[in-house]
Amino acid sequence: MAAASVQGLTARPAYTAAIDSRSSIVRSTRHSHAQQRCRQRAAAAVAPDAKDEPAESLELSRTHLLRGALLAASGMVTGASVAPLAAQATVEPAVAAAGVADAAAGAVAAQTFSKVLLRTLSDCKLAVSVYPTFSYNAAGGGGSGSVSPGNDGLLRLTFDPSSLDIPAINYQHASILGVPIPPPLNIAIVPQRLEGTLDPATGRVDLDFLASFEFTAGPLYTAAPLTVATTLTTETSEGVLQRGTGERLAADGHAKLVGVARVPTTGDSFLDTFLMLPTDCLAVLSAELKFA
């Protein structure tokens, strides 16, 4: 019995020591975890977005945090001014990246065109008053012009009227319901102005068009020139009787320009009666634009 008591007495201190050691480890671990959570909360409060920044930004953030902590401990700054110091680390890389993007955009903007070439295509249309729509083959026509940048981001297109050649409306180029118009009838188109803007960001084109239409029917009849003004656009043009919708400039340079003009009377009784003037005239011009 005494031996057993002595053995129990000698074993108890070892058991107690083990418990004390284990408790110490647990307390140390809990203290370490608590310190880690405090550091995480402090870092999140000061620089919540630092985890998303690259390694260099994190290093800068740690440097600013340490500097802010030292200054705060010395009483030189308050807690409210520590955040700007840490935020500086995340702002500096963003400013640098923005500078690179602006430089790239500036390089693209600096690449401007100076010349434009217009080529009219075969699938064009014309409509006058309530007459059926003409199929108009304008292939082979076109002209050249100049391009200049505007302060609003648009490109200014100015075509030389003397270079513009638009095929005449006659039996060779126009038909109604598949039937060529009568051979004596010929309508020559003499451009006087074609200029406007192109939005390179959207492909929208708006061109002011002014031309003289000269009607003849062989040697027997010649009408006074009829001046027509409209805006050829890739958007929608609408009048009282006619309406058309264009297509914006595509990557391959193709576009569909439409324009509705209100044509007044001419004083020529035959022409006014024949065309039912005043009335709407619709032009649908398929074209290709090339820049250089």
Side-chain angles (χ1 to χ4, degrees):
M1 176 66 97
S5 299
V6 171
Q7 184 177 4
L9 291 172
T10 57
R12 188 172 296 134
Y15 175 75
T16 304
I19 291 176
D20 293 341
S21 175
R22 183 174 180 179
S23 299
S24 176
I25 293 173
V26 170
R27 286 193 299 271
S28 176
T29 302
R30 288 178 178 174
H31 181 67
S32 175
H33 288 173
Q35 288 182 330
Q36 184 176 1
R37 286 195 295 271
C38 288
R39 286 195 297 270
Q40 290 175 347
R41 284 196 295 269
V46 177
D49 297 331
K51 61 181 181 180
D52 297 330
E53 296 298 325
E56 295 180 0
S57 298
L58 289 175
E59 288 298 326
L60 288 172
S61 298
R62 294 189 187 99
T63 301
H64 285 286
L65 283 172
L66 179 58
R67 184 185 303 167
L70 292 175
L71 293 174
S74 65
M76 295 180 63
V77 297
T78 63
S81 60
V82 176
L85 290 172
Q88 184 179 353
T90 60
V91 171
E92 288 173 351
V95 171
V100 173
D102 290 342
V108 173
Q111 184 180 358
T112 57
F113 300 101
S114 60
K115 296 180 180 180
V116 58
L117 180 64
L118 170 69
R119 186 168 68 94
T120 54
L121 306 178
S122 61
D123 54 336
C124 302
K125 297 178 181 180
L126 295 170
V128 179
S129 186
V130 295
Y131 285 112
T133 302
F134 291 69
S135 294
Y136 174 47
N137 182 354
S144 59
S146 61
V147 182
S148 59
N151 296 330
D152 51 4
L154 303 180
L155 297 180
R156 311 291 174 183
L157 310 182
T158 304
F159 290 89
D160 180 7
S162 64
S163 73
L164 293 173
D165 179 22
I166 301 178
I169 302 172
N170 53 32
Y171 75 96
Q172 294 177 317
H173 301 283
S175 62
I176 302 177
L177 301 177
V179 180
I181 63 175
L185 181 62
N186 186 85
I187 306 174
I189 305 174
V190 182
Q192 299 176 8
R193 182 175 71 245
L194 182 62
E195 58 186 43
T197 61
L198 162 65
D199 186 347
T202 64
R204 173 171 178 164
V205 179
D206 294 287
L207 299 175
D208 292 332
F209 177 64
L210 179 67
S212 175
F213 287 71
E214 301 176 355
F215 292 76
T216 59
L220 301 177
Y221 172 75
T222 300
L226 178 62
T227 301
V228 176
T230 187
T231 297
L232 295 174
T233 179
T234 54
E235 308 309 297
T236 297
S237 182
E238 186 172 3
V240 177
L241 300 175
Q242 299 290 344
R243 183 180 187 275
T245 300
E247 297 176 3
R248 294 186 175 186
L249 186 67
D252 59 0
H254 287 79
K256 181 182 290 184
L257 301 166
V258 300
V260 175
R262 188 67 179 174
V263 184
T265 56
T266 63
D268 185 317
S269 58
F270 173 77
L271 188 62
D272 291 347
T273 302
F274 176 70
L275 296 179
M276 291 181 280
L277 302 180
T279 190
D280 286 348
C281 176
L282 168 67
V284 179
L285 186 67
S286 292
E288 180 183 38
L289 294 171
K290 292 186 177 180
F291 298 85

